[in-house]
Amino acid sequence: ARPYSTIAKGERFTGALTVTETHVVLAAGIFNDPGPNHVNALQAERGRFGARIAHGPLILGIADGVLGNAIGATIVALLDQTARFRRPAFLGDTLVTEWTVTELTDKPAFGGGGIVGFDGRVRNQDGGVLVELETHLAVGEEAPWSPEGVGDT
């Protein structure tokens, strides 16, 4: 877990993940969105994008996961997020996410932490920008729980 006090303006967090059939099929069920752009190859091939694409919320979840993995259990809450989708993510694309810390606002009510603002970009393996993002997280100084000691007798 990264304490709020260790996060610096201008700091970057990056990650990459390849979108698979499994991601898209699970997303269709979780989001209750079995739309043909996502799960019907024949219809998707004849549609606007020419092939099946990943769900927008799936791309956002992958991008947000980069922050979750980098900062961890000190995240108190996702406060807001805006996204501009520029182009689709196709099955087999590798999504490369980069977040940059843009602002830090101390908020002692968040366990001595504060609000961290981020600008983000999700690109595909060719460098094309898929999504532009802005988000704010409440981040504390300490995680509310630790797995250390669990199972010790």
Side-chain angles (χ1 to χ4, degrees):
R2 286 281 304 272
Y4 169 78
S5 62
T6 69
I7 299 171
K9 192 171 180 180
E11 186 172 1
R12 291 179 162 177
F13 301 98
T14 60
L17 183 129
T18 301
V19 177
T20 68
E21 174 79 15
T22 301
H23 292 117
V24 172
V25 169
L26 288 172
I30 292 167
F31 303 142
N32 191 27
D33 182 3
N37 281 338
H38 311 302
V39 299
N40 183 327
L42 295 176
Q43 188 169 338
E45 287 170 5
R46 291 171 178 82
R48 177 178 181 182
F49 304 114
R52 292 171 56 209
I53 60 172
H55 299 75
L58 174 60
I59 299 168
L60 298 180
I62 291 168
D64 290 346
V66 171
L67 292 176
N69 286 319
I71 299 172
T74 55
I75 296 173
V76 175
L78 170 66
L79 300 176
D80 62 51
Q81 186 164 68
T82 59
R84 178 151 174 86
F85 292 90
R86 304 303 233 163
R87 60 179 74 175
F90 296 96
L91 280 71
D93 279 354
T94 298
L95 307 185
V96 180
T97 302
E98 180 177 88
W99 291 101
T100 302
V101 177
T102 57
E103 60 184 299
L104 297 163
T105 306
D106 295 347
K107 293 285 184 180
F110 294 150
I115 297 172
V116 184
F118 299 89
D119 279 343
R121 300 280 179 279
V122 179
R123 300 178 190 274
N124 64 15
Q125 64 279 354
D126 300 321
V129 176
L130 306 182
V131 186
E132 297 167 336
L133 298 155
E134 182 180 319
T135 196
H136 291 87
L137 297 178
V139 179
E141 274 301 300
E142 294 182 15
W145 178 82
S146 172
E148 292 180 24
V150 172
D152 293 345
T153 54

PDB file of all heavy atoms in Angstrom, residues 4 7-13 67 71 80 82 98-105 115-121 133-137:
ATOM      1  N   TYR A   4      -0.486   8.192   1.060  1.00  0.00           N
ATOM      2  CA  TYR A   4      -0.691   9.447   0.343  1.00  0.00           C
ATOM      3  C   TYR A   4       0.580  10.294   0.343  1.00  0.00           C
ATOM      4  O   TYR A   4       0.962  10.869  -0.681  1.00  0.00           O
ATOM      5  CB  TYR A   4      -1.858  10.211   0.991  1.00  0.00           C
ATOM      6  CG  TYR A   4      -2.018  11.626   0.517  1.00  0.00           C
ATOM      7  CD1 TYR A   4      -2.604  11.900  -0.711  1.00  0.00           C
ATOM      8  CD2 TYR A   4      -1.594  12.695   1.297  1.00  0.00           C
ATOM      9  CE1 TYR A   4      -2.756  13.201  -1.159  1.00  0.00           C
ATOM     10  CE2 TYR A   4      -1.749  13.997   0.865  1.00  0.00           C
ATOM     11  CZ  TYR A   4      -2.326  14.254  -0.363  1.00  0.00           C
ATOM     12  OH  TYR A   4      -2.477  15.539  -0.792  1.00  0.00           O
ATOM     13  N   ILE A   7       3.216   9.885  -2.507  1.00  0.00           N
ATOM     14  CA  ILE A   7       2.848  10.108  -3.913  1.00  0.00           C
ATOM     15  C   ILE A   7       3.241  11.526  -4.291  1.00  0.00           C
ATOM     16  O   ILE A   7       2.973  12.479  -3.547  1.00  0.00           O
ATOM     17  CB  ILE A   7       1.337   9.866  -4.115  1.00  0.00           C
ATOM     18  CG1 ILE A   7       0.992   8.418  -3.765  1.00  0.00           C
ATOM     19  CG2 ILE A   7       0.925  10.198  -5.548  1.00  0.00           C
ATOM     20  CD1 ILE A   7      -0.490   8.121  -3.710  1.00  0.00           C
ATOM     21  N   ALA A   8       3.878  11.681  -5.451  1.00  0.00           N
ATOM     22  CA  ALA A   8       4.389  12.990  -5.870  1.00  0.00           C
ATOM     23  C   ALA A   8       3.727  13.475  -7.155  1.00  0.00           C
ATOM     24  O   ALA A   8       3.443  12.676  -8.060  1.00  0.00           O
ATOM     25  CB  ALA A   8       5.903  12.901  -6.083  1.00  0.00           C
ATOM     26  N   LYS A   9       3.501  14.772  -7.217  1.00  0.00           N
ATOM     27  CA  LYS A   9       2.979  15.378  -8.441  1.00  0.00           C
ATOM     28  C   LYS A   9       3.963  15.078  -9.574  1.00  0.00           C
ATOM     29  O   LYS A   9       5.172  15.177  -9.406  1.00  0.00           O
ATOM     30  CB  LYS A   9       2.818  16.883  -8.252  1.00  0.00           C
ATOM     31  CG  LYS A   9       2.033  17.545  -9.339  1.00  0.00           C
ATOM     32  CD  LYS A   9       1.726  18.984  -8.985  1.00  0.00           C
ATOM     33  CE  LYS A   9       0.938  19.625 -10.106  1.00  0.00           C
ATOM     34  NZ  LYS A   9       0.629  21.031  -9.793  1.00  0.00           N
ATOM     35  N   GLY A  10       3.428  14.675 -10.714  1.00  0.00           N
ATOM     36  CA  GLY A  10       4.256  14.311 -11.858  1.00  0.00           C
ATOM     37  C   GLY A  10       4.633  12.837 -11.909  1.00  0.00           C
ATOM     38  O   GLY A  10       5.126  12.359 -12.930  1.00  0.00           O
ATOM     39  N   GLU A  11       4.403  12.115 -10.822  1.00  0.00           N
ATOM     40  CA  GLU A  11       4.712  10.684 -10.782  1.00  0.00           C
ATOM     41  C   GLU A  11       3.830   9.948 -11.783  1.00  0.00           C
ATOM     42  O   GLU A  11       2.679  10.303 -12.010  1.00  0.00           O
ATOM     43  CB  GLU A  11       4.488  10.147  -9.375  1.00  0.00           C
ATOM     44  CG  GLU A  11       4.909   8.703  -9.193  1.00  0.00           C
ATOM     45  CD  GLU A  11       4.851   8.250  -7.743  1.00  0.00           C
ATOM     46  OE1 GLU A  11       4.463   9.032  -6.861  1.00  0.00           O
ATOM     47  OE2 GLU A  11       5.193   7.079  -7.521  1.00  0.00           O
ATOM     48  N   ARG A  12       4.387   8.893 -12.384  1.00  0.00           N
ATOM     49  CA  ARG A  12       3.660   8.112 -13.388  1.00  0.00           C
ATOM     50  C   ARG A  12       3.478   6.678 -12.924  1.00  0.00           C
ATOM     51  O   ARG A  12       4.355   6.105 -12.285  1.00  0.00           O
ATOM     52  CB  ARG A  12       4.411   8.121 -14.707  1.00  0.00           C
ATOM     53  CG  ARG A  12       4.426   9.452 -15.371  1.00  0.00           C
ATOM     54  CD  ARG A  12       5.197   9.382 -16.661  1.00  0.00           C
ATOM     55  NE  ARG A  12       4.843  10.520 -17.482  1.00  0.00           N
ATOM     56  CZ  ARG A  12       5.393  10.774 -18.634  1.00  0.00           C
ATOM     57  NH1 ARG A  12       6.312   9.970 -19.123  1.00  0.00           N
ATOM     58  NH2 ARG A  12       5.025  11.833 -19.323  1.00  0.00           N
ATOM     59  N   PHE A  13       2.328   6.127 -13.323  1.00  0.00           N
ATOM     60  CA  PHE A  13       2.019   4.728 -13.076  1.00  0.00           C
ATOM     61  C   PHE A  13       1.613   4.111 -14.411  1.00  0.00           C
ATOM     62  O   PHE A  13       0.779   4.674 -15.120  1.00  0.00           O
ATOM     63  CB  PHE A  13       0.867   4.593 -12.072  1.00  0.00           C
ATOM     64  CG  PHE A  13       1.152   5.231 -10.741  1.00  0.00           C
ATOM     65  CD1 PHE A  13       0.669   6.503 -10.449  1.00  0.00           C
ATOM     66  CD2 PHE A  13       1.905   4.573  -9.789  1.00  0.00           C
ATOM     67  CE1 PHE A  13       0.925   7.097  -9.227  1.00  0.00           C
ATOM     68  CE2 PHE A  13       2.170   5.163  -8.556  1.00  0.00           C
ATOM     69  CZ  PHE A  13       1.677   6.424  -8.275  1.00  0.00           C
ATOM     70  N   LEU A  67      -3.920   1.763 -11.321  1.00  0.00           N
ATOM     71  CA  LEU A  67      -3.822   2.548 -10.087  1.00  0.00           C
ATOM     72  C   LEU A  67      -4.031   1.667  -8.857  1.00  0.00           C
ATOM     73  O   LEU A  67      -3.332   1.820  -7.856  1.00  0.00           O
ATOM     74  CB  LEU A  67      -4.842   3.689 -10.095  1.00  0.00           C
ATOM     75  CG  LEU A  67      -4.587   4.787 -11.114  1.00  0.00           C
ATOM     76  CD1 LEU A  67      -5.720   5.801 -11.100  1.00  0.00           C
ATOM     77  CD2 LEU A  67      -3.246   5.457 -10.866  1.00  0.00           C
ATOM     78  N   ILE A  71      -1.139   1.652  -6.087  1.00  0.00           N
ATOM     79  CA  ILE A  71      -1.361   2.333  -4.812  1.00  0.00           C
ATOM     80  C   ILE A  71      -1.893   1.377  -3.754  1.00  0.00           C
ATOM     81  O   ILE A  71      -1.507   1.439  -2.598  1.00  0.00           O
ATOM     82  CB  ILE A  71      -2.295   3.547  -5.005  1.00  0.00           C
ATOM     83  CG1 ILE A  71      -1.628   4.529  -5.976  1.00  0.00           C
ATOM     84  CG2 ILE A  71      -2.602   4.212  -3.670  1.00  0.00           C
ATOM     85  CD1 ILE A  71      -2.501   5.663  -6.409  1.00  0.00           C
ATOM     86  N   ASP A  80     -14.300  10.474  -8.683  1.00  0.00           N
ATOM     87  CA  ASP A  80     -14.897  10.804  -9.980  1.00  0.00           C
ATOM     88  C   ASP A  80     -13.989  10.320 -11.089  1.00  0.00           C
ATOM     89  O   ASP A  80     -12.808  10.033 -10.868  1.00  0.00           O
ATOM     90  CB  ASP A  80     -15.185  12.307 -10.133  1.00  0.00           C
ATOM     91  CG  ASP A  80     -13.935  13.179 -10.062  1.00  0.00           C
ATOM     92  OD1 ASP A  80     -12.944  12.910 -10.777  1.00  0.00           O
ATOM     93  OD2 ASP A  80     -13.942  14.155  -9.297  1.00  0.00           O
ATOM     94  N   THR A  82     -13.741  10.909 -15.604  1.00  0.00           N
ATOM     95  CA  THR A  82     -14.269  11.254 -16.923  1.00  0.00           C
ATOM     96  C   THR A  82     -13.422  10.533 -17.956  1.00  0.00           C
ATOM     97  O   THR A  82     -12.225  10.327 -17.764  1.00  0.00           O
ATOM     98  CB  THR A  82     -14.234  12.770 -17.197  1.00  0.00           C
ATOM     99  OG1 THR A  82     -12.885  13.231 -17.095  1.00  0.00           O
ATOM    100  CG2 THR A  82     -15.111  13.530 -16.221  1.00  0.00           C
ATOM    101  N   GLU A  98      -1.185   4.661 -18.997  1.00  0.00           N
ATOM    102  CA  GLU A  98      -0.260   5.524 -18.263  1.00  0.00           C
ATOM    103  C   GLU A  98      -1.058   6.591 -17.532  1.00  0.00           C
ATOM    104  O   GLU A  98      -1.877   7.281 -18.139  1.00  0.00           O
ATOM    105  CB  GLU A  98       0.735   6.194 -19.206  1.00  0.00           C
ATOM    106  CG  GLU A  98       1.708   7.103 -18.472  1.00  0.00           C
ATOM    107  CD  GLU A  98       2.738   7.714 -19.381  1.00  0.00           C
ATOM    108  OE1 GLU A  98       2.454   8.800 -19.942  1.00  0.00           O
ATOM    109  OE2 GLU A  98       3.808   7.108 -19.541  1.00  0.00           O
ATOM    110  N   TRP A  99      -0.854   6.676 -16.242  1.00  0.00           N
ATOM    111  CA  TRP A  99      -1.466   7.692 -15.392  1.00  0.00           C
ATOM    112  C   TRP A  99      -0.375   8.630 -14.893  1.00  0.00           C
ATOM    113  O   TRP A  99       0.711   8.180 -14.530  1.00  0.00           O
ATOM    114  CB  TRP A  99      -2.120   7.056 -14.177  1.00  0.00           C
ATOM    115  CG  TRP A  99      -3.338   6.232 -14.435  1.00  0.00           C
ATOM    116  CD1 TRP A  99      -3.410   4.868 -14.504  1.00  0.00           C
ATOM    117  CD2 TRP A  99      -4.663   6.710 -14.623  1.00  0.00           C
ATOM    118  NE1 TRP A  99      -4.702   4.477 -14.731  1.00  0.00           N
ATOM    119  CE2 TRP A  99      -5.494   5.597 -14.799  1.00  0.00           C
ATOM    120  CE3 TRP A  99      -5.230   7.989 -14.650  1.00  0.00           C
ATOM    121  CZ2 TRP A  99      -6.863   5.710 -15.006  1.00  0.00           C
ATOM    122  CZ3 TRP A  99      -6.590   8.100 -14.858  1.00  0.00           C
ATOM    123  CH2 TRP A  99      -7.397   6.974 -15.031  1.00  0.00           C
ATOM    124  N   THR A 100      -0.663   9.920 -14.830  1.00  0.00           N
ATOM    125  CA  THR A 100       0.258  10.906 -14.275  1.00  0.00           C
ATOM    126  C   THR A 100      -0.463  11.669 -13.164  1.00  0.00           C
ATOM    127  O   THR A 100      -1.597  12.127 -13.353  1.00  0.00           O
ATOM    128  CB  THR A 100       0.718  11.899 -15.360  1.00  0.00           C
ATOM    129  OG1 THR A 100       1.336  11.173 -16.419  1.00  0.00           O
ATOM    130  CG2 THR A 100       1.720  12.901 -14.792  1.00  0.00           C
ATOM    131  N   VAL A 101       0.193  11.806 -12.021  1.00  0.00           N
ATOM    132  CA  VAL A 101      -0.371  12.563 -10.905  1.00  0.00           C
ATOM    133  C   VAL A 101      -0.339  14.039 -11.275  1.00  0.00           C
ATOM    134  O   VAL A 101       0.721  14.587 -11.595  1.00  0.00           O
ATOM    135  CB  VAL A 101       0.414  12.315  -9.603  1.00  0.00           C
ATOM    136  CG1 VAL A 101      -0.128  13.173  -8.462  1.00  0.00           C
ATOM    137  CG2 VAL A 101       0.400  10.837  -9.226  1.00  0.00           C
ATOM    138  N   THR A 102      -1.505  14.685 -11.232  1.00  0.00           N
ATOM    139  CA  THR A 102      -1.615  16.098 -11.608  1.00  0.00           C
ATOM    140  C   THR A 102      -1.845  17.025 -10.423  1.00  0.00           C
ATOM    141  O   THR A 102      -1.555  18.218 -10.514  1.00  0.00           O
ATOM    142  CB  THR A 102      -2.766  16.300 -12.616  1.00  0.00           C
ATOM    143  OG1 THR A 102      -3.982  15.817 -12.025  1.00  0.00           O
ATOM    144  CG2 THR A 102      -2.478  15.568 -13.917  1.00  0.00           C
ATOM    145  N   GLU A 103      -2.396  16.484  -9.330  1.00  0.00           N
ATOM    146  CA  GLU A 103      -2.649  17.338  -8.166  1.00  0.00           C
ATOM    147  C   GLU A 103      -2.738  16.504  -6.901  1.00  0.00           C
ATOM    148  O   GLU A 103      -3.094  15.325  -6.937  1.00  0.00           O
ATOM    149  CB  GLU A 103      -3.933  18.155  -8.348  1.00  0.00           C
ATOM    150  CG  GLU A 103      -5.179  17.312  -8.529  1.00  0.00           C
ATOM    151  CD  GLU A 103      -6.422  18.133  -8.797  1.00  0.00           C
ATOM    152  OE1 GLU A 103      -6.791  18.957  -7.931  1.00  0.00           O
ATOM    153  OE2 GLU A 103      -7.022  17.932  -9.860  1.00  0.00           O
ATOM    154  N   LEU A 104      -2.392  17.137  -5.804  1.00  0.00           N
ATOM    155  CA  LEU A 104      -2.483  16.541  -4.476  1.00  0.00           C
ATOM    156  C   LEU A 104      -3.161  17.558  -3.564  1.00  0.00           C
ATOM    157  O   LEU A 104      -2.711  18.703  -3.461  1.00  0.00           O
ATOM    158  CB  LEU A 104      -1.093  16.206  -3.933  1.00  0.00           C
ATOM    159  CG  LEU A 104      -0.297  15.160  -4.727  1.00  0.00           C
ATOM    160  CD1 LEU A 104       1.171  15.210  -4.363  1.00  0.00           C
ATOM    161  CD2 LEU A 104      -0.866  13.782  -4.477  1.00  0.00           C
ATOM    162  N   THR A 105      -4.247  17.130  -2.913  1.00  0.00           N
ATOM    163  CA  THR A 105      -4.981  18.010  -2.009  1.00  0.00           C
ATOM    164  C   THR A 105      -5.101  17.316  -0.661  1.00  0.00           C
ATOM    165  O   THR A 105      -5.781  16.287  -0.546  1.00  0.00           O
ATOM    166  CB  THR A 105      -6.391  18.312  -2.572  1.00  0.00           C
ATOM    167  OG1 THR A 105      -6.266  18.821  -3.900  1.00  0.00           O
ATOM    168  CG2 THR A 105      -7.120  19.310  -1.686  1.00  0.00           C
ATOM    169  N   ILE A 115      -6.682  13.902  -1.542  1.00  0.00           N
ATOM    170  CA  ILE A 115      -7.207  13.601  -2.866  1.00  0.00           C
ATOM    171  C   ILE A 115      -6.064  13.674  -3.870  1.00  0.00           C
ATOM    172  O   ILE A 115      -5.305  14.642  -3.884  1.00  0.00           O
ATOM    173  CB  ILE A 115      -8.331  14.586  -3.240  1.00  0.00           C
ATOM    174  CG1 ILE A 115      -9.505  14.423  -2.272  1.00  0.00           C
ATOM    175  CG2 ILE A 115      -8.784  14.365  -4.684  1.00  0.00           C
ATOM    176  CD1 ILE A 115     -10.582  15.472  -2.422  1.00  0.00           C
ATOM    177  N   VAL A 116      -5.971  12.654  -4.698  1.00  0.00           N
ATOM    178  CA  VAL A 116      -4.945  12.601  -5.742  1.00  0.00           C
ATOM    179  C   VAL A 116      -5.655  12.680  -7.088  1.00  0.00           C
ATOM    180  O   VAL A 116      -6.543  11.879  -7.379  1.00  0.00           O
ATOM    181  CB  VAL A 116      -4.109  11.306  -5.666  1.00  0.00           C
ATOM    182  CG1 VAL A 116      -2.995  11.328  -6.709  1.00  0.00           C
ATOM    183  CG2 VAL A 116      -3.542  11.106  -4.262  1.00  0.00           C
ATOM    184  N   GLY A 117      -5.268  13.663  -7.903  1.00  0.00           N
ATOM    185  CA  GLY A 117      -5.803  13.808  -9.250  1.00  0.00           C
ATOM    186  C   GLY A 117      -4.860  13.185 -10.253  1.00  0.00           C
ATOM    187  O   GLY A 117      -3.632  13.276 -10.108  1.00  0.00           O
ATOM    188  N   PHE A 118      -5.412  12.555 -11.273  1.00  0.00           N
ATOM    189  CA  PHE A 118      -4.631  11.879 -12.298  1.00  0.00           C
ATOM    190  C   PHE A 118      -5.159  12.221 -13.685  1.00  0.00           C
ATOM    191  O   PHE A 118      -6.371  12.347 -13.876  1.00  0.00           O
ATOM    192  CB  PHE A 118      -4.749  10.349 -12.178  1.00  0.00           C
ATOM    193  CG  PHE A 118      -4.272   9.765 -10.894  1.00  0.00           C
ATOM    194  CD1 PHE A 118      -5.134   9.631  -9.816  1.00  0.00           C
ATOM    195  CD2 PHE A 118      -2.967   9.311 -10.767  1.00  0.00           C
ATOM    196  CE1 PHE A 118      -4.717   9.059  -8.639  1.00  0.00           C
ATOM    197  CE2 PHE A 118      -2.541   8.736  -9.584  1.00  0.00           C
ATOM    198  CZ  PHE A 118      -3.410   8.613  -8.511  1.00  0.00           C
ATOM    199  N   ASP A 119      -4.262  12.336 -14.641  1.00  0.00           N
ATOM    200  CA  ASP A 119      -4.609  12.304 -16.058  1.00  0.00           C
ATOM    201  C   ASP A 119      -4.116  10.967 -16.582  1.00  0.00           C
ATOM    202  O   ASP A 119      -3.027  10.515 -16.205  1.00  0.00           O
ATOM    203  CB  ASP A 119      -3.934  13.425 -16.847  1.00  0.00           C
ATOM    204  CG  ASP A 119      -4.658  14.752 -16.708  1.00  0.00           C
ATOM    205  OD1 ASP A 119      -5.823  14.754 -16.286  1.00  0.00           O
ATOM    206  OD2 ASP A 119      -4.041  15.788 -17.025  1.00  0.00           O
ATOM    207  N   GLY A 120      -4.903  10.350 -17.457  1.00  0.00           N
ATOM    208  CA  GLY A 120      -4.525   9.043 -17.975  1.00  0.00           C
ATOM    209  C   GLY A 120      -4.740   8.917 -19.463  1.00  0.00           C
ATOM    210  O   GLY A 120      -5.526   9.651 -20.070  1.00  0.00           O
ATOM    211  N   ARG A 121      -4.019   7.979 -20.048  1.00  0.00           N
ATOM    212  CA  ARG A 121      -4.168   7.620 -21.454  1.00  0.00           C
ATOM    213  C   ARG A 121      -4.102   6.109 -21.551  1.00  0.00           C
ATOM    214  O   ARG A 121      -3.283   5.467 -20.891  1.00  0.00           O
ATOM    215  CB  ARG A 121      -3.036   8.176 -22.325  1.00  0.00           C
ATOM    216  CG  ARG A 121      -2.878   9.666 -22.336  1.00  0.00           C
ATOM    217  CD  ARG A 121      -3.883  10.335 -23.270  1.00  0.00           C
ATOM    218  NE  ARG A 121      -3.748  11.770 -23.254  1.00  0.00           N
ATOM    219  CZ  ARG A 121      -4.252  12.586 -22.331  1.00  0.00           C
ATOM    220  NH1 ARG A 121      -4.883  12.097 -21.294  1.00  0.00           N
ATOM    221  NH2 ARG A 121      -4.118  13.881 -22.421  1.00  0.00           N
ATOM    222  N   LEU A 133      -8.370  10.028 -20.033  1.00  0.00           N
ATOM    223  CA  LEU A 133      -9.034   9.922 -18.733  1.00  0.00           C
ATOM    224  C   LEU A 133      -8.591  11.013 -17.770  1.00  0.00           C
ATOM    225  O   LEU A 133      -7.460  11.508 -17.851  1.00  0.00           O
ATOM    226  CB  LEU A 133      -8.681   8.574 -18.083  1.00  0.00           C
ATOM    227  CG  LEU A 133      -9.112   7.332 -18.828  1.00  0.00           C
ATOM    228  CD1 LEU A 133      -8.233   6.154 -18.463  1.00  0.00           C
ATOM    229  CD2 LEU A 133     -10.551   7.041 -18.490  1.00  0.00           C
ATOM    230  N   GLU A 134      -9.485  11.316 -16.864  1.00  0.00           N
ATOM    231  CA  GLU A 134      -9.159  12.139 -15.696  1.00  0.00           C
ATOM    232  C   GLU A 134      -9.886  11.516 -14.519  1.00  0.00           C
ATOM    233  O   GLU A 134     -11.060  11.141 -14.637  1.00  0.00           O
ATOM    234  CB  GLU A 134      -9.617  13.577 -15.896  1.00  0.00           C
ATOM    235  CG  GLU A 134      -9.249  14.480 -14.743  1.00  0.00           C
ATOM    236  CD  GLU A 134      -9.716  15.909 -14.969  1.00  0.00           C
ATOM    237  OE1 GLU A 134      -9.593  16.409 -16.102  1.00  0.00           O
ATOM    238  OE2 GLU A 134     -10.218  16.504 -13.986  1.00  0.00           O
ATOM    239  N   THR A 135      -9.196  11.375 -13.394  1.00  0.00           N
ATOM    240  CA  THR A 135      -9.825  10.776 -12.223  1.00  0.00           C
ATOM    241  C   THR A 135      -9.251  11.364 -10.945  1.00  0.00           C
ATOM    242  O   THR A 135      -8.154  11.919 -10.945  1.00  0.00           O
ATOM    243  CB  THR A 135      -9.681   9.234 -12.244  1.00  0.00           C
ATOM    244  OG1 THR A 135     -10.589   8.657 -11.326  1.00  0.00           O
ATOM    245  CG2 THR A 135      -8.275   8.786 -11.921  1.00  0.00           C
ATOM    246  N   HIS A 136     -10.028  11.219  -9.876  1.00  0.00           N
ATOM    247  CA  HIS A 136      -9.591  11.636  -8.543  1.00  0.00           C
ATOM    248  C   HIS A 136      -9.859  10.492  -7.576  1.00  0.00           C
ATOM    249  O   HIS A 136     -10.958   9.926  -7.565  1.00  0.00           O
ATOM    250  CB  HIS A 136     -10.351  12.883  -8.087  1.00  0.00           C
ATOM    251  CG  HIS A 136      -9.994  14.097  -8.873  1.00  0.00           C
ATOM    252  ND1 HIS A 136     -10.628  14.423 -10.046  1.00  0.00           N
ATOM    253  CD2 HIS A 136      -9.041  15.027  -8.666  1.00  0.00           C
ATOM    254  CE1 HIS A 136     -10.082  15.529 -10.526  1.00  0.00           C
ATOM    255  NE2 HIS A 136      -9.127  15.917  -9.706  1.00  0.00           N
ATOM    256  N   LEU A 137      -8.845  10.182  -6.781  1.00  0.00           N
ATOM    257  CA  LEU A 137      -8.956   9.150  -5.748  1.00  0.00           C
ATOM    258  C   LEU A 137      -8.723   9.770  -4.379  1.00  0.00           C
ATOM    259  O   LEU A 137      -7.841  10.631  -4.229  1.00  0.00           O
ATOM    260  CB  LEU A 137      -7.892   8.060  -5.945  1.00  0.00           C
ATOM    261  CG  LEU A 137      -7.921   7.212  -7.201  1.00  0.00           C
ATOM    262  CD1 LEU A 137      -6.732   6.240  -7.181  1.00  0.00           C
ATOM    263  CD2 LEU A 137      -9.230   6.462  -7.320  1.00  0.00           C
TER     264      LEU A 137
END
